[in-house]
Amino acid sequence: MGIKHNILSLLFIFLVTNVVAISCQNIKMEQKFDWSATLSAPKEYPVQVYRGEITAKDYTQSLSGFGDINYGWGEEGGTVVMGPDLKSIPDSLEIAWHSFVDQKNFEGKWALPKEELIKLFNEGIVNKVTNKKITYNKFVVGLAPNGLVVIWLSSVRGQVEIAHYKAKEVSVNVETISEENKPIFSKKYNDVVLSELNNEYNTFERIKKKEYPKTDLYEGYRLRYLWKPLIELSDNEMLINFVMHTYNGEIEIESSNKKEQLNVSYKERGVLKYLAFGWIDKEQKKEVGCWLEEFNENELFNAYKKFNPTEEINFIIKVINKSKVSIKLKSMSQEIEIKKFKLTIE
């Protein structure tokens, strides 16, 4: 009887141990990454956050206390260095801000696409020179007119939009606002911000004419087309790198090992805002850099709009000499010359 009891006890322990082991195998440890969050707003549309936080399972970062934000659309503000190095991917965003130009307040709370974010963090961006993966490390929260909120993931190798939301306009009872944030709502503080802004953007006159802020402008920036930059060089020259900013706040950075031509694929991109690229002669004796900036926004957007968003478009830059390039948008159906831009080659 004792032997039988011992055998049954051992069998029970064996079964329980195996069930626990299998259960532990099925429980995936939650991945953690090194990240922080910051803010962005258009240069001519300053805002200040008076309440906000981005929240993960094990960490919450405040989004207030950054001061006035207007570094440029997609351009990041200050960096938070507090908190643990590794933390779970955030799953929610809550934010409330004051807009100085239109004297409005917006707020909202949303769930973040956590599974998509984990996938992007794991994939990262591969450096084609070193063949090493660089992952994202920053959330950039963009605040635009009419309550538009856009979130980008950023790294030293690029920036990509991962979500967008619409905040609601709200009335604010200043008595409920924390003491450190109450000055945001004072007439004196707002007058100072707008006066400084007016010197550069003629803010007061544009507000009177009701042409500013353009409430749908930044939503329009999010429109994408299927295109790629195509750099035409002489036969003995080879493209080796480029940095590209688009109006939707995204950034692409690519480079080669200088032994192979850098090839760029078609993908859905926003309208080009800035492009820098470099090339080298095939004997690798001299590297040359080219910068294209200060495009005419209306000319560019009107040109892109003439194409079907689903057709493949080449943004062709033909380098003619060290002081001249020609630019055109070209598809199978048509081509349009781009005339207004600033060029630097050195």
Side-chain angles (χ1 to χ4, degrees):
M1 187 72 177
I3 294 173
K4 183 178 180 181
H5 176 76
N6 288 337
I7 291 173
L8 289 172
S9 297
L10 290 171
L11 180 61
F12 176 76
I13 292 170
F14 174 78
L15 290 172
V16 170
T17 302
N18 278 273
V19 168
V20 171
I22 292 171
S23 298
C24 289
Q25 289 175 3
N26 290 331
I27 298 174
K28 293 183 179 179
M29 294 295 291
E30 184 166 7
Q31 291 180 285
K32 297 190 177 186
F33 302 90
D34 184 6
W35 61 265
S36 64
T38 188
L39 299 170
S40 174
K43 288 184 177 180
E44 58 178 37
Y45 187 76
V47 302
Q48 189 167 157
V49 172
Y50 57 87
R51 187 180 72 252
E53 55 190 27
I54 187 167
T55 303
K57 180 179 179 181
D58 55 359
Y59 177 71
T60 296
Q61 183 195 307
S62 173
L63 293 173
S64 62
F66 281 84
D68 297 345
I69 302 296
N70 65 328
Y71 301 100
W73 190 233
E75 301 294 330
E76 62 185 58
T79 299
V80 173
V81 294
M82 298 173 61
D85 289 340
L86 298 178
K87 36 204 174 277
S88 301
I89 290 296
D91 50 34
S92 68
L93 167 72
E94 181 174 7
I95 196 162
W97 76 91
H98 175 68
S99 162
F100 294 100
V101 172
D102 48 15
Q103 294 291 291
K104 292 181 179 180
N105 306 294
F106 299 92
E107 67 177 38
K109 182 177 182 179
W110 309 275
L112 297 175
K114 188 173 180 179
E115 295 305 315
E116 180 185 345
L117 291 172
I118 292 173
K119 182 173 181 290
L120 286 169
F121 268 84
N122 280 322
E123 289 177 349
I125 302 173
V126 177
N127 185 327
K128 293 181 180 178
V129 175
T130 63
N131 208 31
K132 292 183 179 179
K133 182 179 73 175
I134 299 171
T135 194
Y136 298 98
N137 60 1
K138 190 171 293 184
F139 291 88
V140 182
V141 181
L143 308 173
N146 208 30
L148 175 65
V149 179
V150 173
I151 304 177
W152 299 275
L153 267 186
S154 179
S155 78
V156 295
R157 298 293 298 181
Q159 183 164 289
V160 60
E161 179 186 324
I162 53 94
H164 73 284
Y165 307 99
K166 180 66 180 296
K168 62 181 180 180
E169 184 182 345
V170 296
S171 298
V172 172
N173 180 356
V174 179
E175 295 304 316
T176 65
I177 301 297
S178 63
E179 289 300 320
E180 63 266 27
N181 286 321
K182 281 183 179 178
I184 300 172
F185 301 93
S186 73
K187 184 179 184 305
K188 181 179 179 180
Y189 189 87
N190 280 255
D191 286 347
V192 170
V193 172
L194 290 174
S195 294
E196 292 177 352
L197 198 66
N198 185 64
N199 294 333
E200 186 171 356
Y201 296 106
N202 195 25
T203 303
F204 296 139
E205 186 65 27
R206 293 169 68 192
I207 290 174
K208 287 179 183 178
K209 292 181 178 179
K210 298 183 179 180
E211 63 178 29
Y212 175 61
K214 296 179 179 179
T215 56
D216 58 349
L217 179 64
Y218 292 87
E219 186 62 57
Y221 284 170
R222 298 188 58 253
L223 185 62
R224 295 172 182 267
Y225 296 86
L226 186 61
W227 71 277
K228 70 175 182 179
L230 181 60
I231 317 299
E232 294 186 349
L233 302 166
S234 64
D235 291 340
N236 70 327
E237 295 171 331
M238 180 171 61
L239 181 69
I240 56 172
N241 58 56
F242 77 84
V243 178
M244 181 165 58
H245 293 235
T246 47
Y247 272 94
N248 63 358
E250 293 187 330
I251 302 170
E252 290 183 56
I253 302 172
E254 289 286 0
S255 53
S256 74
N257 56 14
K258 299 183 182 180
K259 297 178 181 179
E260 300 174 347
Q261 170 80 16
L262 180 62
N263 294 311
V264 188
S265 302
Y266 291 106
K267 64 182 277 189
E268 290 188 338
R269 295 177 167 95
V271 172
L272 180 67
K273 184 177 183 180
Y274 165 88
L275 177 65
F277 59 91
W279 69 86
I280 192 170
D281 63 81
K282 292 186 178 178
E283 286 75 33
Q284 299 192 17
K285 293 180 180 178
K286 186 178 181 180
E287 292 185 26
V288 181
C290 178
W291 291 262
L292 294 168
E293 54 193 329
E294 297 181 18
F295 289 95
N296 181 279
E297 185 175 329
N298 289 332
E299 181 188 29
L300 266 186
F301 274 85
N302 288 334
Y304 273 92
K305 286 176 183 177
K306 291 178 181 178
F307 293 90
N308 187 319
T310 60
E311 67 177 323
E312 293 181 344
I313 308 167
N314 290 314
F315 194 103
I316 301 173
I317 300 105
K318 183 175 182 178
V319 179
I320 298 170
N321 54 47
K322 295 298 175 63
S323 61
K324 186 178 181 181
V325 303
S326 65
I327 300 178
K328 61 183 176 182
L329 281 170
K330 184 177 180 180
S331 70
M332 294 293 290
S333 63
Q334 62 179 319
E335 62 179 67
I336 300 171
E337 183 182 3
I338 303 300
K339 300 178 180 179
K340 300 175 183 178
F341 54 88
K342 179 183 177 182
L343 169 69
T344 305
I345 298 179
E346 59 184 34

